[in-house]
Amino acid sequence: MNSSNPTVQRKESDRQGQKKWYSSFTSRPEIGPFGVMLLLFLLLGYFSIPEGEFSINPFAGEGFNALGIRNNFRVIAQLGIVALGAGMLIIAGEFDLSVGSMIGFAGGCMAMILKWGFAVVIPYISFDGGFHFEGLKLFEITDVSPLMALLITLCFTLSFGWFQGWLIVKSGIASFIVTLGGLFFLRGITEVSYRAFNRAPDQTAGSTTVTELPDIKNIIIVPGHGEMERDAAKLLPNDQLLEILSKVPANTVAKLTEQLTYINEKVANNKTALAAKKMIETLEKSLAGAKKSGNDSMVDILTKKIEAGVEVPPVAAKAVTDIDIAKAYIDTIFTARPVANFFGGDIMEPVFDWLYFSVDWNVNMYGNMFAKGMYSCLMIWLLLALVCYFVLSRTQAGNWIYSTGGNLSAAQANGVPTNKVKISLFMFTAFCATMFAACQVFEVNTADTAKGNLKELEAIAAAVIGGVVLTGGFGTILGIILGTIIFGIAKEAFFYIPGIDGSFYRVFLGAVLVTAALTNENIRKRIIGSL
Amino acid sequence: MSDSKKPLIEIKDLVKRFGNFTALNGVSLDVYPGEVHALLGDNGAGKSTLIKVLAGVHPATSGSIIIDGKEGKFSTPRQATDAGIGTVYQDLALNALTSVTRNFFLGREIKKGPGAFGLMQMKEMNRITIEEMAKIGINISNPEQPVGTMSGGQRQTLAIARAIYFGAKILILDEPTSALGQKQQMEVLKTIKDVQKLGHIAIILITHNEIHARLIADRYTFLSLGEVIGSGLAEELGGDDIKRLMAGGAEIGDLRDELGA
Ligand SMILES: Nc1ncnc2c1ncn2[C@@H]1O[C@H](COP(=O)(O)OP(=O)(O)OP(=O)(O)O)[C@@H](O)[C@H]1O
Ligand SMILES: [Mg+2]
């Protein structure tokens, strides 16, 4: 017999190979999306650097200047919010096509309530003076706070999410069909409501937008004036502005003065530099002209002049006036509508201030601050992602979600309330859509019926690119986040690549989507042992 | 085996209809603690249906299930497990995509915190999983590995260990050996024998393998087309009786002649 080393009994654990230090990273299913994301970031960084300039610093270009970061992450965060809901639902084995329409519905609902108030009306048929409808008003709130508008909207959207989930688990109809119904139903209801509420007294159909909402997130309490919009406060007559300033503590005034001085100097310096640059350009143009016409002496003079460098008179910095300080002070007053600000305002302002005043980076070409902060939806996305991560990977509910999608009958046999799991997740996608809508409405103070169009498909695509398998049971929050970033950044990155049509980003995303789906399916098969 | 013992579970006149189709038509049987009760019968006889009713997956149309003298009415699997019925299904009710530990505790996770959002105590759950699997003879090296990567015998043991750990007094095994290789079949039979020796657990074993049944069964019940067509103690039944009844009462001899012709 040639058995090796018969004195040592081989154990099951001997069959487990030693792990390399990096294998826990490279064997994660997110490694693919992570690579694609890095590639896109590099493309965006590299190609957004203006022509003629050379830099290996990807932050040197427009793609990653402060404003670029602010705007790109808004696109990513908004998609991310709905992708989390869609992804979790797919992991549980269902999906929701009504997300986009739900965004439109929720936004419209919120904006209409903010504009016209909220009332419960019971319609009935009246024959008084001919057959027509009458309404019996049960109660009415005329001045609805942002929080109240959000809560009322959530009542509608969560109920609708619950209803879709309930219908799907009770009837066994595919979620594709039920939520496709939801897609049409909600978009229709939204359009109908917009027109009905916007209807003019002459009964012509109204528009499908809500505009002229106040800038709620920027309503502040101005000393001596009460609540008003920030922009209106800055337009107050000078004597009133000075009176406001007279009550501001001295050290605040000193700090604001210092900041304004810094800004004015910076603007002046940049103006000087711009003037110099313009002059050089003019000289170079003349030089080119002189060369063309063969005026050698002129070429000589101009070349020397350019080599010597130009001297432009420095632009004097604007003096800081008390009016400026008063306006700057108004800018620092904290909002009186924290809920609206939470959804539609900015975050990380101190960081962006620091980047401008101390790091000297967040500066546009005129010397002013480029971006004042990040959009609040970024914070909402990250908060939601954190919660989802904990729920999915650490809690009992997470294990239930995975098993509901992974093996429904096994989950049921072990007492997992799979119907509750699914219904809750349909409500969660509705919740995410409402959060998306709240971010939009409170940011731009308008709403229209087209909002959220196609978002349901983008959310599904982002989740799939991030490693979620459509048949359920497989995927992670980290993957969904990466998929979202890929989806959100691709358009920007392709826009900057010279010589190609910007729409190639769709071609790229299509290919990535299908590749991702194939890879996911392979990983899944390997795990369930059929490969 | 002594008949003086009280049965742990008594099933009386159980009827189960799926619409017009009668899957079980008045089935009665008793199972005693410390005994392996083999439930035998042809494909479609209703064996799986019977245990699904016992496990609370399907409600019974009529009839009664008495556990420890108490009438049991199960409308959910949870109620059946709480009453002490632990079921290991033909498909094992495992989620191949998640880890051994997550499957071991599926539906009964150890957690700290409010409701379903309590944090799972992964370390403790991993430890218990390794211990309980080792108790019935399988050493797993990594409780975080997906169940899909385990062998058939390991999966079977996982399902049995899980049922026992969660307080099964009545362990129901639906064809536990059907998909396994020779060595793993014997391992599973040994596991069942170990469980039987514990003495307080009643085991219902469904199998198509006559040899396996003879190796470990103490008592037999034969089902055919949803009805009991025979039952008895192991020592009372001859090998030919078992063969004949397993095939739904057809004479094996006749069949042999037919095949020969
Ligand atoms: N949910 C159901 N709806 C309708 N008919 C069913 C259902 N479940 C089982 N049946 C029918 O009940 C009969 C008994 O099925 P069952 O699965 O109990 O057989 P079995 O004895 O376990 O067979 P096997 O040995 O092949 O596993 C079959 O004819 C089957 O088609
Ligand atoms: Mg069966």
Side-chain angles (χ1 to χ4, degrees), chain B residues 18 21 23 42-49 58 90 175 208:
Chain B
F18 295 109
F21 182 81
D42 218 352
N43 290 119
K47 307 180 295 293
S48 296
T49 307
H58 299 313
Q90 221 161 352
E175 300 191 37
H208 286 289

Side-chain angles (χ1 to χ4, degrees), chain B residues 51-215:
Chain B
I51 64 161
K52 279 190 177 143
V53 172
L54 292 182
V57 176
H58 299 313
T61 309
S62 69
S64 66
I65 302 165
I66 295 161
I67 297 171
D68 254 346
K70 281 192 290 280
E71 170 93 39
K73 267 248 174 294
F74 312 135
S75 43
T76 64
R78 186 36 97 37
Q79 290 172 357
T81 1
D82 289 348
I85 294 184
T87 317
V88 176
Y89 292 97
Q90 221 161 352
D91 61 10
L92 297 180
L94 295 173
N95 177 9
L97 286 165
T98 54
S99 73
V100 179
T101 302
R102 279 171 175 262
N103 271 283
F104 192 96
F105 285 94
L106 182 54
R108 289 164 294 237
E109 294 83 354
I110 301 176
K111 56 178 191 201
K112 274 203 189 105
F117 294 105
L119 286 186
M120 291 193 290
Q121 306 298 301
M122 266 311 194
K123 271 200 186 128
E124 190 183 350
M125 284 160 58
N126 282 338
R127 183 179 54 75
I128 293 172
T129 305
I130 295 179
E131 275 173 20
E132 293 298 312
M133 299 275 289
K135 268 186 202 165
I136 51 173
I138 299 261
N139 289 308
I140 46 165
S141 41
N142 176 15
E144 307 268 7
Q145 85 187 83
V147 163
T149 63
M150 293 173 95
S151 75
Q154 287 174 324
R155 292 187 205 195
Q156 193 66 241
T157 314
L158 168 59
I160 294 175
R162 173 170 75 178
I164 295 175
Y165 178 73
F166 288 106
K169 290 182 287 182
I170 300 135
L171 182 65
I172 303 177
L173 304 170
D174 193 358
E175 300 191 37
T177 54
S178 62
L180 303 179
Q182 283 296 332
K183 185 164 167 277
Q184 289 182 347
Q185 288 183 359
M186 289 307 136
E187 269 174 15
V188 170
L189 290 181
K190 205 180 123 276
T191 306
I192 299 172
K193 203 85 192 162
D194 286 347
V195 177
Q196 179 200 31
K197 278 195 202 123
L198 294 175
H200 64 281
I201 294 177
I203 303 162
I204 300 177
L205 171 70
I206 296 175
T207 179
H208 286 289
N209 190 319
E210 181 208 346
I211 302 170
H212 290 173
R214 291 237 231 159
L215 277 172

Side-chain angles (χ1 to χ4, degrees), chain A residues 13-21 23:
Chain A
S13 54
D14 294 339
R15 302 173 67 181
Q16 191 78 29
Q18 281 294 308
K19 278 198 171 172
K20 299 262 168 36
W21 62 270
S23 68

